[in-house]
Amino acid sequence: MNRKELRRRCGLALPVTFLLFVALCGVWPGLLATHDPLKTHYDRTFELPSSEFWLGTDQYGRDIYSRLVYGSRITTMIGFGSLAISVLLGVPLGLLAAWYKGIPDMVVMRGMDLLMVFPPIFVGIVAITFLGAGLSSLIAVIGFLYVPRFARVAYSAAKEVSEESYIEAARAIGQTDIAILLRHILPNIAATVTVQAGVSLAFMILLAAGLNFLGLGVPPPTPSWGLMVGEARRYLTINGGILIVWPSTFIVLVILSINAISDQLSSRRSRV
Amino acid sequence: MLAYVVRRVAVALVVMAVALTLVFLVIRVVPGDPALLVLGTRARPEVVQAVRESLGLDRPLHVQYYNWWRDLIHLDLGQSFYTKLPVIHEVLRRFPRSMELIVLSLALAVLLGIPIGILASSGRKSLSSLSSSTALMLISVPDFVIGTALVLLFSLQLRLLPSGGFVGIMRPMEHLRRVILPVMMMAVGPTGIVIRMVRGNLSATLRTDYVTTARAKGLSEAAILFKHALRNIMVPIVAILGVEAGVRLGGMVIAEAIFSWPGISSLLIDACYQRDYPVIQGVILLTAVYVISVNLLVDLVNAVVNPKIRYE
């Protein structure tokens, strides 16, 4: 392994480790949290970091570190849930449109274009207003909003692949459409879809954090990073605004890690 | 060129008609009575009936559709439940304020992003990696973190600028002081994207044959850059700005919330809290029209910049 290769591997190792840590916090927060994230200590508000409260306490005297750990649950759920919805709906739609051409192509792809005319955050705000705030509606709304993007990416990749001669060969030996789609086309567009998943994942988490920040996402007191920044905004004059630092750092690190990984993946693909 | 413009405008009009129809249908066909959604399930039946009538929901669908278009063409978006004022007035009053933030922030992003992008593709290894990590950073920091940090720094610590609010353009200095922070906040993400676009496209362009030819002719590097290379990367830049002008509505929502800027998205959020149905519909309709118009504009600008597009 030469030095360049080593640097590239390290460039991936750091963000991957951090994201795994966040996912672990999300799946099993009890393991890493030191306090109950909802337990208030009214006599100990706005404390600075100490051995008891690792990152200090917030306006209700709740332990910030534990709230951050539990807050990663929202990020992880959005990451897995919304991404799953948009991939599982978007990719098949794109595949069908590319394979059957003609009317399915027109209906599906023009439909997707049409949906992209409505800005995601506006639709998100309205949808959540009428569905009611909460984690499940947040996951569903964000997932649906990204269906068109995956349909488009899968569509253009599948279109390219289906021109290949091995697809013609598979058809000639009498394989069914479903078999060709699943066995030959899907594996060949998987890499492209993965890159898109990385890019979209960052946007999805940002959108969720933004909605939480505005108070339109998961209702308090459930800890979420976006909401923590939003609440901290009211106490900017206390301790030099340190309350916004911790949740902001976590969000930035997560997005930075996802973007760094998807940059690496796409540049590696273009080099091959 | 004329044929291209006519065709493109026609397509945009069709898309607009279908998109507006979609809004109409979503409201009426999706399960759940809009009147109940507005009033809540515990509302008295006669109140629900009154709201249904005021929205025209008791008439047959095709009559509603006809009336809906008739009102739209007369720019009648109904009345706000809350203020009883015509929705169109409020929407048109707020829209330019939001546009101001979007246009200024994208302009700032171009002014900062293009020079940094050029520096990045100048070939110096250290500059290039510095600017690409800067771009990655700019793209990765959420809007609301930047906005909050700007308030903390410029309003609370340095006490240079007000932390929010809106003053009309009639008092230009006060207006400007309140524009600076939201525009800075909204420019951060697009700047990162412009840097990446310029860098990616410019380094590819600088390796093309016609640039080599220009060099062989003895043109200066500056002339090559400005006459040949930059012109060619304008198409992707304009395209990405168009996309951003739509996507940036997200940043705008946050900016308007943080800096109490009374634009179109704070109108939407207020309307959502109050379940002010006609206002919500008005804002969504207007933004759809806006996004389609921006897409159209991008296509037309690109056709002017790059003649090849016209003949496809």
Side-chain angles (χ1 to χ4, degrees), chain B residues 213-228:
Chain B
T213 313
R215 275 214 186 97
K217 275 199 311 193
L219 277 184
S220 69
E221 282 299 313
I224 292 174
L225 193 64
F226 289 104
K227 277 217 182 109
H228 297 280

Side-chain angles (χ1 to χ4, degrees), chain A residues 114-115 117-119 121-122 125-126 129-130 206 209-210 213-214 216 229 233 236 240 244 248 251-252 255-256 259 263, chain B residues 18-19 22-23 37 136 140 142 144-145 148 152 156 196 249-250 253 257-258 268 272 275 280 283 287-288 291-292:
Chain A
L114 198 64
L115 292 182
V117 163
F118 303 98
I121 191 150
F122 277 40
I125 291 171
V126 176
T129 305
F130 288 108
L206 280 179
F213 173 81
L214 293 171
L216 293 165
V229 180
R233 201 160 63 87
L236 281 180
I244 73 157
S248 303
I251 301 174
V252 171
I255 303 297
L256 207 56
N259 284 341
D263 276 7
Chain B
V18 181
L22 192 68
V23 174
L37 284 175
L136 181 64
S140 300
F144 57 86
V145 170
T148 315
L152 185 61
L156 295 174
R196 283 188 161 196
L249 293 173
V253 174
I258 291 184
L268 178 70
C272 279
R275 306 274 161 131
I280 296 176
V283 173
T287 46
V291 172
I292 295 168

Side-chain angles (χ1 to χ4, degrees), chain B residues 259-274:
Chain B
F259 298 102
S260 330
W261 188 267
I264 196 83
S265 63
S266 45
L267 179 66
L268 178 70
I269 292 180
D270 291 346
C272 279
Y273 277 126
Q274 295 159 350

